[in-house]
Amino acid sequence: MEDDVAPGRSSDPSKPEPGRSGKSGSQELRSQLKDRRAKFERQVDAKRADIERQVQATKAQFDATNERIEARVGRNLVNAILIGVAAGGIMLVSLIIFKVIFVVLASAVVAFATLELRKALEQTGRRVPAIPTVISAVAMQPAAFFLHDVWRWSVVLLGILLVIVWRVAEQATASKRTDLPTLVRDLASGTFIQVYVPFLASFAVFLVAQPEGEWWTLAFLILVICVDVGAYVSGLSFGKHKMAPVISPNKTWEGFAGAGVVSVVAGVLLAILMLGVPWWVGVLLGLLLLGSATVGDLAESLIKRDIGVKDMSSWLPGHGGFLDRLDSILPSAVVAYVVYLLFGGLAV
């Protein structure tokens, strides 16, 4: 008997028609891909949310820690580190590649620090003319680098004289005229600014101008930083006994001891690896800079306490002002220069 099946159709009813089978398979495939994509997107969203929660928790923990540190030491640690690293990198490049850049940088920093101190003293009623103060401060730095020692001292004296003469000349103006005791106080303040900031800073510039002086300058800057960091870490970790609570409440004898250990170790390493002098010169340099940096820090704290300010300015977030960063460096520059004169010839 012949089949009644139409041509082109399957004789087996259990098998789907070819056209319908292909269409159904394609839809099923698209559905599977869609489900997989949706599942993948859900996993990605869940992972992203988990990462965001972890980041927020870490940030909250970091902020809390930073707030505790800032409450104890009075500084924003993150800003202080970032600015310190940036300034250190610029200073390193200027010393190693082209010394004149260091002179320019030193002149700029000294100008800002001088203005800070002048403005701070102005809050106590002292009047120091800004223009001659900045001119004299900036002039001392290239003079220290390019001129011989005699001419350098001449520029220092002429700068102080310029500030004095300018202030005396202001007495001719009725609005700036004062009595004699106030005038004497103003003249003393102007002289103090010139000696404390630009004159002491010029020793670092003068040291750079000497043979191999850039390495001694770099070494003493590193040591001052080591003293600062050593005191900070040791004081934060172990500090209990206040060194000078009236002048600087955050300084402790434990911090001073930690700074001493760090400065001696760093001094020995720098003496041998950078300066090429005997190790004991590094010990001496480290101890002397420990003393000068600490005295410089306390001296500026005493000035700020007398003026009634926490920081000289807010130009450097996390550090205060330029003078707040120079306080340990200024007297240390003199010490480093003297040690260079006495023992620099021992380099091999």
Side-chain angles (χ1 to χ4, degrees):
M1 182 176 179
E2 294 183 0
D3 294 329
D4 293 330
V5 180
R9 293 185 179 272
S10 173
S11 60
D12 188 354
S14 65
K15 293 182 179 181
E17 296 181 4
R20 292 182 180 178
S21 175
K23 184 177 181 179
S24 176
S26 176
Q27 290 177 344
E28 184 178 355
L29 180 60
R30 283 197 297 269
S31 177
Q32 292 176 353
L33 291 175
K34 185 177 180 180
D35 291 341
R36 290 178 181 177
R37 180 178 178 180
K39 183 179 180 181
F40 176 75
E41 289 177 349
R42 287 193 299 269
Q43 291 175 344
V44 170
D45 291 340
K47 191 65 176 179
R48 183 189 299 117
D50 185 52
I51 293 175
E52 289 177 352
R53 284 193 298 270
Q54 292 178 2
V55 170
Q56 292 296 330
T58 303
K59 184 177 183 299
Q61 184 179 7
F62 177 81
D63 290 342
T65 303
N66 195 36
E67 287 178 3
R68 288 196 298 270
I69 295 175
E70 186 173 353
R72 180 167 182 177
V73 302
R75 300 291 177 200
N76 186 299
L77 185 60
V78 176
N79 290 337
I81 292 175
L82 291 177
I83 292 178
V85 170
I90 295 173
M91 199 66 66
L92 180 63
V93 171
S94 68
L95 283 171
I96 295 178
I97 296 180
F98 199 41
K99 292 183 179 182
V100 176
I101 299 178
F102 180 81
V103 181
V104 175
L105 291 174
S107 300
V109 172
V110 164
F112 281 111
T114 302
L115 285 174
E116 286 177 347
L117 184 54
R118 174 197 166 273
K119 185 176 180 181
L121 290 175
E122 195 176 51
Q123 298 178 19
T124 65
R126 296 172 173 85
R127 178 177 292 136
V128 179
I131 295 177
T133 297
V134 174
I135 291 176
S136 302
V138 172
M140 289 185 199
Q141 310 317 309
F145 187 81
F146 293 106
L147 301 181
H148 293 294
D149 201 31
V150 175
W151 290 105
R152 171 173 168 261
W153 282 96
S154 300
V155 171
V156 173
L157 295 176
L158 287 174
I160 295 174
L161 182 61
L162 175 62
V163 175
I164 292 175
V165 171
W166 192 296
R167 179 65 189 92
V168 172
E170 288 182 341
Q171 287 292 98
T173 305
S175 61
K176 297 182 179 180
R177 188 177 301 142
T178 60
D179 55 32
L180 183 59
T182 303
L183 176 62
V184 172
R185 188 183 66 172
D186 293 345
L187 297 180
S189 299
T191 303
F192 169 72
I193 291 175
Q194 293 299 312
V195 173
Y196 179 54
V197 183
F199 176 64
L200 293 183
S202 68
F203 278 90
V205 179
F206 192 54
L207 180 56
V208 172
Q210 308 307 309
E212 302 297 322
E214 66 272 23
W215 299 109
W216 280 81
T217 303
L218 181 59
F220 103 75
L221 290 175
I222 292 174
L223 279 173
V224 170
I225 294 172
C226 288
V227 170
D228 192 18
V229 173
Y232 177 85
V233 174
S234 300
L236 192 64
S237 303
F238 312 107
K240 293 181 179 179
H241 302 86
K242 302 295 184 181
M243 176 183 289
V246 176
I247 301 174
S248 183
N250 292 325
K251 281 198 170 298
T252 63
W253 286 108
E254 290 81 2
F256 181 76
V261 173
V262 174
S263 63
V264 169
V265 173
V268 172
L269 293 176
L270 290 170
I272 297 173
L273 301 177
M274 180 182 293
L275 304 179
V277 294
W279 63 270
W280 56 267
V281 175
V283 174
L284 179 63
L285 183 62
L287 291 175
L288 289 175
L289 292 182
L290 169 66
S292 62
T294 303
V295 169
D297 193 358
L298 290 175
E300 200 228 6
S301 296
L302 185 61
I303 294 171
K304 291 190 293 186
R305 185 174 182 81
D306 182 62
I307 296 173
V309 296
K310 180 179 181 294
D311 293 320
M312 285 297 177
S313 75
S314 57
W315 286 344
L316 298 176
H319 291 270
F322 286 91
L323 190 55
D324 294 308
R325 292 300 88 204
L326 290 179
D327 55 2
S328 300
I329 294 175
L330 292 173
S332 298
V334 181
V335 173
Y337 178 67
V338 173
V339 174
Y340 168 81
L341 291 180
L342 294 175
F343 304 109
L346 298 178
V348 294

